[in-house]
Amino acid sequence: MAASALDRLKKVPIFSALPPKELEWISRSMKERVYEPGAVIVKQGDPGVGFFLVADGTVEVTHDGHKLREMGAGEFFGEMALMEERVRTATVTAKTQTRCLQLVRWDFRAMLKENPDLAVRMLEVVVRRLREHPPREHD
Ligand code: CMP
């Protein structure tokens, strides 16, 4: 389990530059989760507990019922509520059977504090996401 999580992490660009010891620690802290099609992985408005890296499959991100985008292997979600310590900004649902690697809040925050380059790269992804699909008002 740990070895395959490590292999997956090495293939993900924002993790691949981390020192081997850090990669090993992170992969040991990650739990593999499998979701069936239609399963809600994180729900808009819920408190955030985990960060998720997609290992296999496709998920759909929706905000107030509007589709924002899909994500696949090597992409991550669930970072926003953990960075800001607030509730989930969107709902993420499995479209196909989806295998994720999950990191709990305290390990996620420790990972960012220990690895400033990773934190900056993750911030770049978050800003790009918000630029592409800014939160919008409905009704
Ligand atoms: P979080 O708010 O923890 O939970 C919902 C997740 O959906 C969020 O983290 C991001 O990973 C993702 N998400 C939220 N807004 C967007 C967006 N505009 N574009 C892409 N992904 C998003």
Side-chain angles (χ1 to χ4, degrees), residues 42-44 48 50 52 61-63 68-69 71 76-83 86-92 125-126 128-135:
V42 310
K43 188 159 175 253
Q44 185 177 342
F52 298 85
V61 183
T62 57
H63 179 257
L68 297 181
R69 53 166 295 176
M71 294 185 193
F76 61 80
F77 60 90
E79 75 293 348
M80 291 187 192
L82 303 193
M83 283 177 168
R86 288 183 60 189
V87 297
R88 297 297 191 192
T89 58
T91 294
V92 182
V125 174
V126 171
R128 191 181 326 131
R129 287 177 177 177
L130 293 177
R131 191 191 287 276
E132 283 172 4
H133 297 287

PDB file of all heavy atoms in Angstrom, residues 42-44 48 50 52 61-63 68-69 71 76-83 86-92 125-126 128-135, ligand 1:
ATOM      1  N   VAL A  42     -16.913  15.001  -1.237  1.00  0.00           N
ATOM      2  CA  VAL A  42     -17.016  16.132  -0.314  1.00  0.00           C
ATOM      3  C   VAL A  42     -18.257  16.931  -0.700  1.00  0.00           C
ATOM      4  O   VAL A  42     -18.619  17.014  -1.866  1.00  0.00           O
ATOM      5  CB  VAL A  42     -15.757  17.048  -0.262  1.00  0.00           C
ATOM      6  CG1 VAL A  42     -14.483  16.255  -0.061  1.00  0.00           C
ATOM      7  CG2 VAL A  42     -15.630  17.941  -1.464  1.00  0.00           C
ATOM      8  N   LYS A  43     -18.906  17.499   0.317  1.00  0.00           N
ATOM      9  CA  LYS A  43     -20.186  18.168   0.094  1.00  0.00           C
ATOM     10  C   LYS A  43     -20.065  19.642   0.447  1.00  0.00           C
ATOM     11  O   LYS A  43     -19.589  19.979   1.549  1.00  0.00           O
ATOM     12  CB  LYS A  43     -21.239  17.492   0.971  1.00  0.00           C
ATOM     13  CG  LYS A  43     -22.641  17.933   0.709  1.00  0.00           C
ATOM     14  CD  LYS A  43     -23.618  16.879   1.221  1.00  0.00           C
ATOM     15  CE  LYS A  43     -25.025  17.384   1.068  1.00  0.00           C
ATOM     16  NZ  LYS A  43     -25.630  17.767   2.331  1.00  0.00           N
ATOM     17  N   GLN A  44     -20.497  20.483  -0.485  1.00  0.00           N
ATOM     18  CA  GLN A  44     -20.485  21.936  -0.264  1.00  0.00           C
ATOM     19  C   GLN A  44     -21.157  22.264   1.070  1.00  0.00           C
ATOM     20  O   GLN A  44     -22.244  21.767   1.363  1.00  0.00           O
ATOM     21  CB  GLN A  44     -21.242  22.619  -1.417  1.00  0.00           C
ATOM     22  CG  GLN A  44     -21.197  24.138  -1.364  1.00  0.00           C
ATOM     23  CD  GLN A  44     -21.891  24.781  -2.563  1.00  0.00           C
ATOM     24  OE1 GLN A  44     -22.117  24.146  -3.585  1.00  0.00           O
ATOM     25  NE2 GLN A  44     -22.233  26.046  -2.430  1.00  0.00           N
ATOM     26  N   GLY A  48     -14.448  20.749   6.445  1.00  0.00           N
ATOM     27  CA  GLY A  48     -13.431  20.018   5.684  1.00  0.00           C
ATOM     28  C   GLY A  48     -12.558  19.173   6.586  1.00  0.00           C
ATOM     29  O   GLY A  48     -11.985  19.675   7.547  1.00  0.00           O
ATOM     30  N   GLY A  50     -10.645  16.242   4.982  1.00  0.00           N
ATOM     31  CA  GLY A  50      -9.569  15.630   4.208  1.00  0.00           C
ATOM     32  C   GLY A  50      -9.201  16.374   2.933  1.00  0.00           C
ATOM     33  O   GLY A  50      -9.990  17.149   2.381  1.00  0.00           O
ATOM     34  N   PHE A  52      -7.699  15.350  -0.953  1.00  0.00           N
ATOM     35  CA  PHE A  52      -7.768  14.157  -1.802  1.00  0.00           C
ATOM     36  C   PHE A  52      -6.939  14.328  -3.069  1.00  0.00           C
ATOM     37  O   PHE A  52      -7.043  15.360  -3.748  1.00  0.00           O
ATOM     38  CB  PHE A  52      -9.223  13.888  -2.232  1.00  0.00           C
ATOM     39  CG  PHE A  52     -10.151  13.603  -1.088  1.00  0.00           C
ATOM     40  CD1 PHE A  52     -10.745  14.649  -0.389  1.00  0.00           C
ATOM     41  CD2 PHE A  52     -10.422  12.299  -0.711  1.00  0.00           C
ATOM     42  CE1 PHE A  52     -11.599  14.393   0.680  1.00  0.00           C
ATOM     43  CE2 PHE A  52     -11.279  12.038   0.357  1.00  0.00           C
ATOM     44  CZ  PHE A  52     -11.869  13.082   1.054  1.00  0.00           C
ATOM     45  N   VAL A  61     -16.821  18.425 -10.162  1.00  0.00           N
ATOM     46  CA  VAL A  61     -16.912  19.480  -9.144  1.00  0.00           C
ATOM     47  C   VAL A  61     -18.120  20.352  -9.468  1.00  0.00           C
ATOM     48  O   VAL A  61     -18.232  20.858 -10.592  1.00  0.00           O
ATOM     49  CB  VAL A  61     -15.634  20.356  -9.131  1.00  0.00           C
ATOM     50  CG1 VAL A  61     -15.699  21.399  -8.015  1.00  0.00           C
ATOM     51  CG2 VAL A  61     -14.378  19.507  -8.984  1.00  0.00           C
ATOM     52  N   THR A  62     -19.039  20.520  -8.504  1.00  0.00           N
ATOM     53  CA  THR A  62     -20.208  21.380  -8.726  1.00  0.00           C
ATOM     54  C   THR A  62     -20.329  22.401  -7.597  1.00  0.00           C
ATOM     55  O   THR A  62     -19.967  22.133  -6.440  1.00  0.00           O
ATOM     56  CB  THR A  62     -21.518  20.567  -8.792  1.00  0.00           C
ATOM     57  OG1 THR A  62     -21.656  19.814  -7.591  1.00  0.00           O
ATOM     58  CG2 THR A  62     -21.557  19.622  -9.976  1.00  0.00           C
ATOM     59  N   HIS A  63     -20.833  23.576  -7.977  1.00  0.00           N
ATOM     60  CA  HIS A  63     -21.054  24.632  -6.990  1.00  0.00           C
ATOM     61  C   HIS A  63     -22.497  25.094  -7.129  1.00  0.00           C
ATOM     62  O   HIS A  63     -22.911  25.489  -8.226  1.00  0.00           O
ATOM     63  CB  HIS A  63     -20.088  25.792  -7.235  1.00  0.00           C
ATOM     64  CG  HIS A  63     -20.286  26.928  -6.275  1.00  0.00           C
ATOM     65  ND1 HIS A  63     -20.932  28.084  -6.616  1.00  0.00           N
ATOM     66  CD2 HIS A  63     -19.936  27.046  -4.979  1.00  0.00           C
ATOM     67  CE1 HIS A  63     -20.973  28.888  -5.566  1.00  0.00           C
ATOM     68  NE2 HIS A  63     -20.378  28.279  -4.560  1.00  0.00           N
ATOM     69  N   LEU A  68     -18.619  22.829 -12.456  1.00  0.00           N
ATOM     70  CA  LEU A  68     -17.444  23.678 -12.693  1.00  0.00           C
ATOM     71  C   LEU A  68     -16.453  22.973 -13.601  1.00  0.00           C
ATOM     72  O   LEU A  68     -15.940  23.546 -14.541  1.00  0.00           O
ATOM     73  CB  LEU A  68     -16.754  24.037 -11.375  1.00  0.00           C
ATOM     74  CG  LEU A  68     -17.551  24.854 -10.360  1.00  0.00           C
ATOM     75  CD1 LEU A  68     -16.697  25.131  -9.122  1.00  0.00           C
ATOM     76  CD2 LEU A  68     -18.011  26.171 -10.982  1.00  0.00           C
ATOM     77  N   ARG A  69     -16.156  21.712 -13.277  1.00  0.00           N
ATOM     78  CA  ARG A  69     -15.181  20.982 -14.087  1.00  0.00           C
ATOM     79  C   ARG A  69     -15.091  19.534 -13.628  1.00  0.00           C
ATOM     80  O   ARG A  69     -15.700  19.142 -12.639  1.00  0.00           O
ATOM     81  CB  ARG A  69     -13.799  21.623 -14.005  1.00  0.00           C
ATOM     82  CG  ARG A  69     -13.304  21.818 -12.588  1.00  0.00           C
ATOM     83  CD  ARG A  69     -11.847  22.129 -12.562  1.00  0.00           C
ATOM     84  NE  ARG A  69     -11.098  20.978 -13.048  1.00  0.00           N
ATOM     85  CZ  ARG A  69      -9.772  20.980 -13.224  1.00  0.00           C
ATOM     86  NH1 ARG A  69      -9.075  22.066 -13.009  1.00  0.00           N
ATOM     87  NH2 ARG A  69      -9.142  19.897 -13.615  1.00  0.00           N
ATOM     88  N   MET A  71     -12.176  16.347 -12.820  1.00  0.00           N
ATOM     89  CA  MET A  71     -10.760  16.112 -12.497  1.00  0.00           C
ATOM     90  C   MET A  71     -10.467  14.632 -12.642  1.00  0.00           C
ATOM     91  O   MET A  71     -11.350  13.790 -12.434  1.00  0.00           O
ATOM     92  CB  MET A  71     -10.469  16.522 -11.054  1.00  0.00           C
ATOM     93  CG  MET A  71     -10.598  18.000 -10.786  1.00  0.00           C
ATOM     94  SD  MET A  71     -10.090  18.368  -9.098  1.00  0.00           S
ATOM     95  CE  MET A  71     -10.701  20.040  -8.963  1.00  0.00           C
ATOM     96  N   PHE A  76      -5.929  17.162  -7.678  1.00  0.00           N
ATOM     97  CA  PHE A  76      -6.305  17.107  -6.260  1.00  0.00           C
ATOM     98  C   PHE A  76      -7.491  18.020  -5.982  1.00  0.00           C
ATOM     99  O   PHE A  76      -7.771  18.951  -6.736  1.00  0.00           O
ATOM    100  CB  PHE A  76      -5.117  17.480  -5.364  1.00  0.00           C
ATOM    101  CG  PHE A  76      -4.586  18.875  -5.587  1.00  0.00           C
ATOM    102  CD1 PHE A  76      -5.211  19.977  -5.023  1.00  0.00           C
ATOM    103  CD2 PHE A  76      -3.467  19.085  -6.374  1.00  0.00           C
ATOM    104  CE1 PHE A  76      -4.735  21.260  -5.226  1.00  0.00           C
ATOM    105  CE2 PHE A  76      -2.975  20.370  -6.595  1.00  0.00           C
ATOM    106  CZ  PHE A  76      -3.610  21.456  -6.020  1.00  0.00           C
ATOM    107  N   PHE A  77      -8.179  17.721  -4.885  1.00  0.00           N
ATOM    108  CA  PHE A  77      -9.291  18.575  -4.446  1.00  0.00           C
ATOM    109  C   PHE A  77      -9.400  18.478  -2.924  1.00  0.00           C
ATOM    110  O   PHE A  77      -8.780  17.618  -2.287  1.00  0.00           O
ATOM    111  CB  PHE A  77     -10.613  18.187  -5.123  1.00  0.00           C
ATOM    112  CG  PHE A  77     -11.064  16.775  -4.855  1.00  0.00           C
ATOM    113  CD1 PHE A  77     -11.888  16.488  -3.768  1.00  0.00           C
ATOM    114  CD2 PHE A  77     -10.671  15.739  -5.681  1.00  0.00           C
ATOM    115  CE1 PHE A  77     -12.306  15.185  -3.509  1.00  0.00           C
ATOM    116  CE2 PHE A  77     -11.078  14.432  -5.431  1.00  0.00           C
ATOM    117  CZ  PHE A  77     -11.893  14.163  -4.346  1.00  0.00           C
ATOM    118  N   GLY A  78     -10.200  19.414  -2.371  1.00  0.00           N
ATOM    119  CA  GLY A  78     -10.406  19.410  -0.924  1.00  0.00           C
ATOM    120  C   GLY A  78      -9.389  20.252  -0.178  1.00  0.00           C
ATOM    121  O   GLY A  78      -9.378  20.266   1.061  1.00  0.00           O
ATOM    122  N   GLU A  79      -8.546  20.974  -0.943  1.00  0.00           N
ATOM    123  CA  GLU A  79      -7.491  21.777  -0.310  1.00  0.00           C
ATOM    124  C   GLU A  79      -8.038  23.087   0.265  1.00  0.00           C
ATOM    125  O   GLU A  79      -7.503  23.603   1.252  1.00  0.00           O
ATOM    126  CB  GLU A  79      -6.361  22.069  -1.326  1.00  0.00           C
ATOM    127  CG  GLU A  79      -6.656  23.118  -2.395  1.00  0.00           C
ATOM    128  CD  GLU A  79      -7.720  22.721  -3.400  1.00  0.00           C
ATOM    129  OE1 GLU A  79      -8.104  21.546  -3.430  1.00  0.00           O
ATOM    130  OE2 GLU A  79      -8.175  23.611  -4.145  1.00  0.00           O
ATOM    131  N   MET A  80      -9.120  23.627  -0.348  1.00  0.00           N
ATOM    132  CA  MET A  80      -9.529  24.991   0.018  1.00  0.00           C
ATOM    133  C   MET A  80     -10.041  25.066   1.456  1.00  0.00           C
ATOM    134  O   MET A  80      -9.621  25.931   2.231  1.00  0.00           O
ATOM    135  CB  MET A  80     -10.583  25.510  -0.965  1.00  0.00           C
ATOM    136  CG  MET A  80     -10.016  25.758  -2.356  1.00  0.00           C
ATOM    137  SD  MET A  80     -11.229  26.549  -3.426  1.00  0.00           S
ATOM    138  CE  MET A  80     -10.419  26.375  -5.024  1.00  0.00           C
ATOM    139  N   ALA A  81     -10.937  24.174   1.826  1.00  0.00           N
ATOM    140  CA  ALA A  81     -11.504  24.218   3.184  1.00  0.00           C
ATOM    141  C   ALA A  81     -10.413  23.967   4.232  1.00  0.00           C
ATOM    142  O   ALA A  81     -10.505  24.459   5.356  1.00  0.00           O
ATOM    143  CB  ALA A  81     -12.620  23.190   3.330  1.00  0.00           C
ATOM    144  N   LEU A  82      -9.372  23.212   3.852  1.00  0.00           N
ATOM    145  CA  LEU A  82      -8.314  22.924   4.826  1.00  0.00           C
ATOM    146  C   LEU A  82      -7.341  24.084   4.950  1.00  0.00           C
ATOM    147  O   LEU A  82      -6.788  24.338   6.017  1.00  0.00           O
ATOM    148  CB  LEU A  82      -7.558  21.652   4.439  1.00  0.00           C
ATOM    149  CG  LEU A  82      -8.383  20.387   4.275  1.00  0.00           C
ATOM    150  CD1 LEU A  82      -7.462  19.171   4.204  1.00  0.00           C
ATOM    151  CD2 LEU A  82      -9.378  20.198   5.399  1.00  0.00           C
ATOM    152  N   MET A  83      -7.129  24.800   3.836  1.00  0.00           N
ATOM    153  CA  MET A  83      -6.223  25.963   3.894  1.00  0.00           C
ATOM    154  C   MET A  83      -6.857  27.085   4.702  1.00  0.00           C
ATOM    155  O   MET A  83      -6.190  27.781   5.453  1.00  0.00           O
ATOM    156  CB  MET A  83      -5.935  26.482   2.482  1.00  0.00           C
ATOM    157  CG  MET A  83      -4.946  25.636   1.713  1.00  0.00           C
ATOM    158  SD  MET A  83      -4.761  26.289   0.041  1.00  0.00           S
ATOM    159  CE  MET A  83      -3.335  25.375  -0.522  1.00  0.00           C
ATOM    160  N   ARG A  86     -12.276  26.435   6.849  1.00  0.00           N
ATOM    161  CA  ARG A  86     -13.714  26.712   6.761  1.00  0.00           C
ATOM    162  C   ARG A  86     -14.411  25.559   6.055  1.00  0.00           C
ATOM    163  O   ARG A  86     -13.848  24.483   5.927  1.00  0.00           O
ATOM    164  CB  ARG A  86     -13.938  28.041   6.031  1.00  0.00           C
ATOM    165  CG  ARG A  86     -13.528  29.226   6.905  1.00  0.00           C
ATOM    166  CD  ARG A  86     -13.800  30.532   6.241  1.00  0.00           C
ATOM    167  NE  ARG A  86     -15.206  30.719   5.925  1.00  0.00           N
ATOM    168  CZ  ARG A  86     -15.647  31.735   5.184  1.00  0.00           C
ATOM    169  NH1 ARG A  86     -14.807  32.620   4.692  1.00  0.00           N
ATOM    170  NH2 ARG A  86     -16.925  31.882   4.937  1.00  0.00           N
ATOM    171  N   VAL A  87     -15.664  25.800   5.603  1.00  0.00           N
ATOM    172  CA  VAL A  87     -16.434  24.701   5.027  1.00  0.00           C
ATOM    173  C   VAL A  87     -16.085  24.499   3.555  1.00  0.00           C
ATOM    174  O   VAL A  87     -15.454  25.348   2.925  1.00  0.00           O
ATOM    175  CB  VAL A  87     -17.962  24.939   5.183  1.00  0.00           C
ATOM    176  CG1 VAL A  87     -18.341  24.973   6.656  1.00  0.00           C
ATOM    177  CG2 VAL A  87     -18.401  26.195   4.454  1.00  0.00           C
ATOM    178  N   ARG A  88     -16.531  23.361   3.013  1.00  0.00           N
ATOM    179  CA  ARG A  88     -16.281  23.015   1.616  1.00  0.00           C
ATOM    180  C   ARG A  88     -16.926  24.050   0.689  1.00  0.00           C
ATOM    181  O   ARG A  88     -18.111  24.398   0.856  1.00  0.00           O
ATOM    182  CB  ARG A  88     -16.876  21.643   1.292  1.00  0.00           C
ATOM    183  CG  ARG A  88     -16.258  20.492   2.074  1.00  0.00           C
ATOM    184  CD  ARG A  88     -14.816  20.323   1.768  1.00  0.00           C
ATOM    185  NE  ARG A  88     -14.274  19.075   2.304  1.00  0.00           N
ATOM    186  CZ  ARG A  88     -12.972  18.805   2.360  1.00  0.00           C
ATOM    187  NH1 ARG A  88     -12.078  19.693   1.944  1.00  0.00           N
ATOM    188  NH2 ARG A  88     -12.557  17.667   2.848  1.00  0.00           N
ATOM    189  N   THR A  89     -16.170  24.497  -0.311  1.00  0.00           N
ATOM    190  CA  THR A  89     -16.667  25.513  -1.245  1.00  0.00           C
ATOM    191  C   THR A  89     -17.497  24.905  -2.363  1.00  0.00           C
ATOM    192  O   THR A  89     -18.183  25.619  -3.088  1.00  0.00           O
ATOM    193  CB  THR A  89     -15.484  26.254  -1.892  1.00  0.00           C
ATOM    194  OG1 THR A  89     -14.660  25.283  -2.556  1.00  0.00           O
ATOM    195  CG2 THR A  89     -14.658  26.994  -0.850  1.00  0.00           C
ATOM    196  N   ALA A  90     -17.401  23.599  -2.566  1.00  0.00           N
ATOM    197  CA  ALA A  90     -18.081  22.941  -3.687  1.00  0.00           C
ATOM    198  C   ALA A  90     -18.322  21.481  -3.308  1.00  0.00           C
ATOM    199  O   ALA A  90     -17.806  21.001  -2.290  1.00  0.00           O
ATOM    200  CB  ALA A  90     -17.201  23.030  -4.941  1.00  0.00           C
ATOM    201  N   THR A  91     -19.117  20.812  -4.156  1.00  0.00           N
ATOM    202  CA  THR A  91     -19.365  19.373  -3.979  1.00  0.00           C
ATOM    203  C   THR A  91     -18.532  18.619  -5.004  1.00  0.00           C
ATOM    204  O   THR A  91     -18.445  19.035  -6.158  1.00  0.00           O
ATOM    205  CB  THR A  91     -20.863  19.081  -4.184  1.00  0.00           C
ATOM    206  OG1 THR A  91     -21.586  19.727  -3.125  1.00  0.00           O
ATOM    207  CG2 THR A  91     -21.169  17.591  -4.150  1.00  0.00           C
ATOM    208  N   VAL A  92     -17.926  17.527  -4.570  1.00  0.00           N
ATOM    209  CA  VAL A  92     -17.141  16.704  -5.495  1.00  0.00           C
ATOM    210  C   VAL A  92     -17.737  15.294  -5.472  1.00  0.00           C
ATOM    211  O   VAL A  92     -17.853  14.672  -4.410  1.00  0.00           O
ATOM    212  CB  VAL A  92     -15.649  16.677  -5.113  1.00  0.00           C
ATOM    213  CG1 VAL A  92     -14.851  15.856  -6.128  1.00  0.00           C
ATOM    214  CG2 VAL A  92     -15.088  18.103  -5.006  1.00  0.00           C
ATOM    215  N   VAL A 125      -2.148  26.588  -8.247  1.00  0.00           N
ATOM    216  CA  VAL A 125      -3.274  25.817  -8.797  1.00  0.00           C
ATOM    217  C   VAL A 125      -4.599  26.390  -8.284  1.00  0.00           C
ATOM    218  O   VAL A 125      -5.554  26.557  -9.048  1.00  0.00           O
ATOM    219  CB  VAL A 125      -3.146  24.314  -8.422  1.00  0.00           C
ATOM    220  CG1 VAL A 125      -4.390  23.547  -8.857  1.00  0.00           C
ATOM    221  CG2 VAL A 125      -1.902  23.707  -9.046  1.00  0.00           C
ATOM    222  N   VAL A 126      -4.646  26.712  -7.006  1.00  0.00           N
ATOM    223  CA  VAL A 126      -5.889  27.252  -6.417  1.00  0.00           C
ATOM    224  C   VAL A 126      -6.266  28.575  -7.081  1.00  0.00           C
ATOM    225  O   VAL A 126      -7.422  28.798  -7.447  1.00  0.00           O
ATOM    226  CB  VAL A 126      -5.728  27.422  -4.888  1.00  0.00           C
ATOM    227  CG1 VAL A 126      -6.915  28.177  -4.309  1.00  0.00           C
ATOM    228  CG2 VAL A 126      -5.608  26.063  -4.223  1.00  0.00           C
ATOM    229  N   ARG A 128      -5.434  29.614 -10.047  1.00  0.00           N
ATOM    230  CA  ARG A 128      -5.856  29.337 -11.431  1.00  0.00           C
ATOM    231  C   ARG A 128      -7.304  28.834 -11.445  1.00  0.00           C
ATOM    232  O   ARG A 128      -8.119  29.256 -12.253  1.00  0.00           O
ATOM    233  CB  ARG A 128      -4.925  28.311 -12.077  1.00  0.00           C
ATOM    234  CG  ARG A 128      -5.158  28.191 -13.574  1.00  0.00           C
ATOM    235  CD  ARG A 128      -4.253  27.146 -14.228  1.00  0.00           C
ATOM    236  NE  ARG A 128      -2.943  27.062 -13.606  1.00  0.00           N
ATOM    237  CZ  ARG A 128      -2.371  25.921 -13.234  1.00  0.00           C
ATOM    238  NH1 ARG A 128      -2.973  24.773 -13.419  1.00  0.00           N
ATOM    239  NH2 ARG A 128      -1.183  25.924 -12.666  1.00  0.00           N
ATOM    240  N   ARG A 129      -7.619  27.935 -10.505  1.00  0.00           N
ATOM    241  CA  ARG A 129      -8.996  27.413 -10.450  1.00  0.00           C
ATOM    242  C   ARG A 129      -9.992  28.542 -10.203  1.00  0.00           C
ATOM    243  O   ARG A 129     -11.044  28.595 -10.838  1.00  0.00           O
ATOM    244  CB  ARG A 129      -9.122  26.383  -9.323  1.00  0.00           C
ATOM    245  CG  ARG A 129      -8.439  25.093  -9.654  1.00  0.00           C
ATOM    246  CD  ARG A 129      -8.504  24.118  -8.499  1.00  0.00           C
ATOM    247  NE  ARG A 129      -7.887  22.861  -8.895  1.00  0.00           N
ATOM    248  CZ  ARG A 129      -7.738  21.824  -8.103  1.00  0.00           C
ATOM    249  NH1 ARG A 129      -8.139  21.889  -6.851  1.00  0.00           N
ATOM    250  NH2 ARG A 129      -7.182  20.714  -8.545  1.00  0.00           N
ATOM    251  N   LEU A 130      -9.659  29.415  -9.267  1.00  0.00           N
ATOM    252  CA  LEU A 130     -10.605  30.483  -8.930  1.00  0.00           C
ATOM    253  C   LEU A 130     -10.692  31.512 -10.048  1.00  0.00           C
ATOM    254  O   LEU A 130     -11.738  32.136 -10.253  1.00  0.00           O
ATOM    255  CB  LEU A 130     -10.207  31.140  -7.608  1.00  0.00           C
ATOM    256  CG  LEU A 130     -10.344  30.206  -6.396  1.00  0.00           C
ATOM    257  CD1 LEU A 130      -9.873  30.903  -5.134  1.00  0.00           C
ATOM    258  CD2 LEU A 130     -11.778  29.713  -6.231  1.00  0.00           C
ATOM    259  N   ARG A 131      -9.591  31.685 -10.781  1.00  0.00           N
ATOM    260  CA  ARG A 131      -9.617  32.613 -11.911  1.00  0.00           C
ATOM    261  C   ARG A 131     -10.511  32.056 -13.034  1.00  0.00           C
ATOM    262  O   ARG A 131     -11.275  32.767 -13.656  1.00  0.00           O
ATOM    263  CB  ARG A 131      -8.193  32.820 -12.430  1.00  0.00           C
ATOM    264  CG  ARG A 131      -8.055  33.952 -13.424  1.00  0.00           C
ATOM    265  CD  ARG A 131      -6.693  33.895 -14.072  1.00  0.00           C
ATOM    266  NE  ARG A 131      -5.607  34.295 -13.201  1.00  0.00           N
ATOM    267  CZ  ARG A 131      -5.233  35.559 -12.988  1.00  0.00           C
ATOM    268  NH1 ARG A 131      -5.885  36.543 -13.579  1.00  0.00           N
ATOM    269  NH2 ARG A 131      -4.226  35.838 -12.207  1.00  0.00           N
ATOM    270  N   GLU A 132     -10.373  30.720 -13.271  1.00  0.00           N
ATOM    271  CA  GLU A 132     -11.152  30.087 -14.349  1.00  0.00           C
ATOM    272  C   GLU A 132     -12.639  30.011 -14.005  1.00  0.00           C
ATOM    273  O   GLU A 132     -13.495  30.160 -14.863  1.00  0.00           O
ATOM    274  CB  GLU A 132     -10.611  28.680 -14.631  1.00  0.00           C
ATOM    275  CG  GLU A 132      -9.332  28.702 -15.425  1.00  0.00           C
ATOM    276  CD  GLU A 132      -8.663  27.328 -15.544  1.00  0.00           C
ATOM    277  OE1 GLU A 132      -9.242  26.322 -15.065  1.00  0.00           O
ATOM    278  OE2 GLU A 132      -7.557  27.277 -16.081  1.00  0.00           O
ATOM    279  N   HIS A 133     -12.905  29.703 -12.750  1.00  0.00           N
ATOM    280  CA  HIS A 133     -14.304  29.555 -12.314  1.00  0.00           C
ATOM    281  C   HIS A 133     -14.506  30.321 -11.022  1.00  0.00           C
ATOM    282  O   HIS A 133     -14.579  29.722  -9.939  1.00  0.00           O
ATOM    283  CB  HIS A 133     -14.648  28.083 -12.079  1.00  0.00           C
ATOM    284  CG  HIS A 133     -14.545  27.246 -13.301  1.00  0.00           C
ATOM    285  ND1 HIS A 133     -15.457  27.311 -14.322  1.00  0.00           N
ATOM    286  CD2 HIS A 133     -13.615  26.336 -13.673  1.00  0.00           C
ATOM    287  CE1 HIS A 133     -15.098  26.464 -15.271  1.00  0.00           C
ATOM    288  NE2 HIS A 133     -13.986  25.861 -14.912  1.00  0.00           N
ATOM    289  N   PRO A 134     -14.592  31.643 -11.107  1.00  0.00           N
ATOM    290  CA  PRO A 134     -14.774  32.409  -9.867  1.00  0.00           C
ATOM    291  C   PRO A 134     -16.100  32.052  -9.210  1.00  0.00           C
ATOM    292  O   PRO A 134     -17.071  31.750  -9.925  1.00  0.00           O
ATOM    293  CB  PRO A 134     -14.770  33.862 -10.326  1.00  0.00           C
ATOM    294  CG  PRO A 134     -14.630  33.867 -11.795  1.00  0.00           C
ATOM    295  CD  PRO A 134     -14.587  32.466 -12.305  1.00  0.00           C
ATOM    296  N   PRO A 135     -16.180  32.054  -7.897  1.00  0.00           N
ATOM    297  CA  PRO A 135     -17.455  31.804  -7.241  1.00  0.00           C
ATOM    298  C   PRO A 135     -18.472  32.830  -7.726  1.00  0.00           C
ATOM    299  O   PRO A 135     -18.103  33.994  -7.936  1.00  0.00           O
ATOM    300  CB  PRO A 135     -17.149  32.020  -5.757  1.00  0.00           C
ATOM    301  CG  PRO A 135     -15.675  32.002  -5.649  1.00  0.00           C
ATOM    302  CD  PRO A 135     -15.121  32.385  -6.971  1.00  0.00           C
TER     303      PRO A 135
HETATM  304  P1  CMP B   1     -12.790  22.408  -0.795  1.00  0.00           P
HETATM  305  O1  CMP B   1     -13.478  23.725  -0.685  1.00  0.00           O
HETATM  306  O2  CMP B   1     -12.079  21.903   0.393  1.00  0.00           O
HETATM  307  O3  CMP B   1     -13.863  21.314  -1.253  1.00  0.00           O
HETATM  308  C1  CMP B   1     -14.428  21.464  -2.549  1.00  0.00           C
HETATM  309  C2  CMP B   1     -13.310  21.454  -3.552  1.00  0.00           C
HETATM  310  O4  CMP B   1     -13.690  21.694  -4.900  1.00  0.00           O
HETATM  311  C3  CMP B   1     -12.347  22.625  -3.272  1.00  0.00           C
HETATM  312  O5  CMP B   1     -11.743  22.444  -2.017  1.00  0.00           O
HETATM  313  C4  CMP B   1     -11.493  22.552  -4.501  1.00  0.00           C
HETATM  314  O6  CMP B   1     -10.599  21.465  -4.441  1.00  0.00           O
HETATM  315  C5  CMP B   1     -12.569  22.269  -5.557  1.00  0.00           C
HETATM  316  N1  CMP B   1     -13.005  23.535  -6.159  1.00  0.00           N
HETATM  317  C6  CMP B   1     -13.679  24.547  -5.565  1.00  0.00           C
HETATM  318  N2  CMP B   1     -13.860  25.572  -6.417  1.00  0.00           N
HETATM  319  C7  CMP B   1     -13.290  25.200  -7.567  1.00  0.00           C
HETATM  320  C8  CMP B   1     -13.143  25.829  -8.828  1.00  0.00           C
HETATM  321  N3  CMP B   1     -13.620  27.058  -9.052  1.00  0.00           N
HETATM  322  N4  CMP B   1     -12.489  25.147  -9.802  1.00  0.00           N
HETATM  323  C9  CMP B   1     -11.993  23.918  -9.561  1.00  0.00           C
HETATM  324  N5  CMP B   1     -12.098  23.282  -8.393  1.00  0.00           N
HETATM  325  C10 CMP B   1     -12.730  23.903  -7.409  1.00  0.00           C
END
